Amino acid sequence: MVITFLVLLAVLMLVGTPIFIALAGSVTVAMGSFSHIPLAIVAERLFAGLDKFPLMAIPFFILTGSLMSAGGLSQRIIRLANLLVGRFTGGMGMTAVSASMFFGAISGSSPATVVSVGSLLYPAMRKEGYSGQFSIGVLVSAGSLGIIIPPSVVMIVYAAVTGVSVGALFMAGVGAGLLYAACLLPYCWYRAKKDGVTPVEPPSWGEVLAGFKDASWGLGVPLVVLGGIYLGIFTPTEAAAVSVIYALLVSALIYREKSFAELFQSMIEAATTTAQVMIILAAASVLAWFLSSNGLAAMLANAILSLSENPYHIFLLINVTVLIAGMFLDASSIMVILAPLFYTVGMRVGIDPVHLGAVLTVNGAIGMFTPPFGLNLFVAGTINGVDYVQAVRGALPFIGIALFALILLTYIPAISMWLPNMVYGG
């Protein structure tokens, strides 16, 4: 049965079958052919995979990002980022990284960050003299910050399948995201020097303050969400619901750049995105149950531990496995399928589950722009003048930079753990 499942899963994915069909369909066929267990269990596991309270936060955070993007926040964030770092050599590339951090703190989505920031910055970077490959490369790589910087949908999924504190994970995401962004910035400076791009005139303090004032309402979203969680005012799910109300009020009553009909359309788009995420999570939970019920999860855990029980070696195996999986699966699916396995292994060798969550999230972020199936590479095709091949070529140098950041994060736990330890007392 297991061999049939693995072969069918590989075939379905190779022929381009949607991931949720490949995952749930291969389990269903294998069980129907070789097991006496009623197939109704598949439907039960589909619903059980979504019957987790932390997952309720996902549609709210997706809607918040959609409302703020439609309400005119993207332009304000990019203008503020450019005012802060545009004066430096490579400033436009640094603006892409900084803007992705700001927008990621609102949307929690990597593809949404690429589209929102890239559609505005890519033409501007080309006009400034940056090469097309570098311009799209920095956008698809920096866009992956959307799932690292809190609030992160991927971290919520990890919390749902492992029981780890969402608040602690969000704290760890701050250090991980800052490290990731810091590793990208020097390369932006180097490429601007190499391409002969000259920095722009620095803005006045008045312009910087005006930029902060213009973007302040939108930047209040992460303050409301994270502040409310860490002050104990509400849970992460309640924080997500509050963020929707805040985003709607800011978009409709303060920025007022879109009509109510256009804001309603952003709600429809958010619902579509939520459905896409949830159906993958449901199908992945079927696979996780299948692996567990057939003893494959325990067998894989024991196989890993038989190679070594050294945490450094285990982390190397985890990173290699997830990086390969990230070439074919999205980060949320990876969390549902692999996180329970690696959580078990990690606990047995003394790896902190919060640190593990941060490392897995960064792995998933790298997978978002790793060929052949990195989602950001395909999303980049929606930006005018960009195709898949150009996006892949542009992303290659940034994959190496991101791997360097991953190594630092993995083997220097203090980078991600200093904030959780400070707030939660270790």
Side-chain angles (χ1 to χ4, degrees):
M1 179 169 65
V2 174
I3 295 176
T4 300
F5 157 73
L6 293 174
V7 171
L8 184 58
L9 177 63
V11 170
L12 289 175
M13 295 188 67
L14 286 174
V15 299
T17 305
I19 291 177
F20 75 93
I21 295 178
L23 295 177
S26 55
V27 170
T28 303
V29 172
M31 287 181 57
S33 302
F34 299 97
S35 173
H36 297 295
I37 300 175
L39 292 182
I41 191 67
V42 174
E44 292 177 5
R45 296 313 307 174
L46 284 170
F47 285 100
L50 301 180
D51 189 20
K52 295 181 174 67
F53 184 72
L55 294 182
M56 290 180 62
I58 292 178
F60 290 122
F61 281 131
I62 290 175
L63 179 55
T64 297
S66 182
L67 287 172
M68 295 304 289
S69 179
L73 179 64
S74 302
Q75 299 92 322
R76 290 172 169 83
I77 284 180
I78 290 173
R79 179 171 178 266
L80 174 61
N82 194 41
L83 288 171
L84 293 175
V85 299
R87 70 189 74 185
F88 303 112
T89 301
M92 193 64 74
M94 296 179 185
T95 297
V97 176
S98 304
S100 296
M101 287 182 62
F102 287 141
F103 195 82
I106 295 167
S107 70
S109 167
S110 178
T113 303
V114 173
V115 173
S116 300
V117 176
S119 59
L120 297 174
L121 268 185
Y122 181 77
M125 293 182 70
R126 298 291 287 125
K127 186 177 180 180
E128 288 288 329
Y130 292 90
S131 67
Q133 287 188 15
F134 170 78
S135 300
I136 196 60
V138 72
L139 289 168
V140 297
S141 58
S144 63
L145 280 162
I147 66 173
I148 303 174
I149 297 290
S152 165
V153 170
V154 174
M155 287 185 172
I156 294 173
V157 175
Y158 176 83
V161 299
T162 62
V164 177
S165 165
V166 174
L169 287 168
F170 282 0
M171 283 286 195
V174 173
L178 291 175
L179 168 70
Y180 190 94
C183 289
L184 296 178
L185 295 179
Y187 186 67
C188 295
W189 176 88
Y190 165 75
R191 281 306 302 259
K193 278 284 189 181
K194 184 177 181 180
D195 294 342
V197 179
T198 56
V200 299
E201 288 293 324
S204 66
W205 282 107
E207 290 176 310
V208 174
L209 291 175
F212 266 111
K213 182 179 179 181
D214 196 29
S216 60
W217 283 104
L219 297 177
V221 172
L223 295 179
V224 169
V225 172
L226 301 180
I229 293 173
Y230 302 140
L231 292 176
I233 300 174
F234 33 63
T235 67
T237 301
E238 293 167 344
V242 170
S243 72
V244 171
I245 298 174
Y246 181 91
L248 185 59
L249 292 176
V250 170
S251 299
L253 302 181
I254 297 177
Y255 289 160
R256 293 185 292 181
E257 293 188 1
K258 300 292 182 179
S259 66
F260 279 100
E262 291 172 311
L263 291 177
F264 181 73
Q265 181 61 35
S266 70
M267 296 181 187
I268 296 176
E269 294 172 358
T272 302
T273 302
T274 300
Q276 292 171 344
V277 172
M278 290 302 189
I279 197 169
I280 291 174
L281 292 179
S285 70
V286 173
L287 175 58
W289 168 82
F290 179 78
L291 295 177
S292 177
S293 62
N294 285 278
L296 288 178
M299 184 169 55
L300 289 172
N302 291 330
I304 292 173
L305 291 172
S306 68
L307 297 175
S308 174
E309 293 193 8
N310 185 312
Y312 294 98
H313 298 163
I314 294 297
F315 253 136
L316 177 62
L317 291 171
I318 289 174
N319 284 338
V320 171
T321 302
V322 179
L323 288 170
I324 293 173
M327 298 179 183
F328 306 97
L329 298 173
D330 67 284
S332 296
S333 298
I334 291 172
M335 285 297 185
V336 175
I337 297 169
L338 295 178
L341 168 65
F342 292 141
Y343 172 83
T344 301
V345 173
M347 292 296 287
R348 289 171 63 175
V349 298
I351 294 175
D352 189 289
V354 176
H355 180 214
L356 175 63
V359 171
L360 290 179
T361 301
V362 172
N363 269 291
I366 297 173
M368 297 298 291
F369 60 98
T370 302
F373 297 119
L375 184 57
N376 286 4
L377 301 176
F378 294 98
V379 171
T382 63
I383 300 174
N384 188 32
V386 177
D387 57 32
Y388 173 80
V389 174
Q390 183 182 6
V392 169
R393 289 175 177 171
L396 291 178
F398 291 95
I399 293 174
I401 296 170
L403 291 175
F404 174 72
L406 176 64
I407 293 172
L408 293 179
L409 179 70
T410 300
Y411 295 111
I412 308 178
I415 294 174
S416 61
M417 296 303 297
W418 66 278
L419 259 180
N421 288 337
M422 184 171 63
V423 174
Y424 294 98

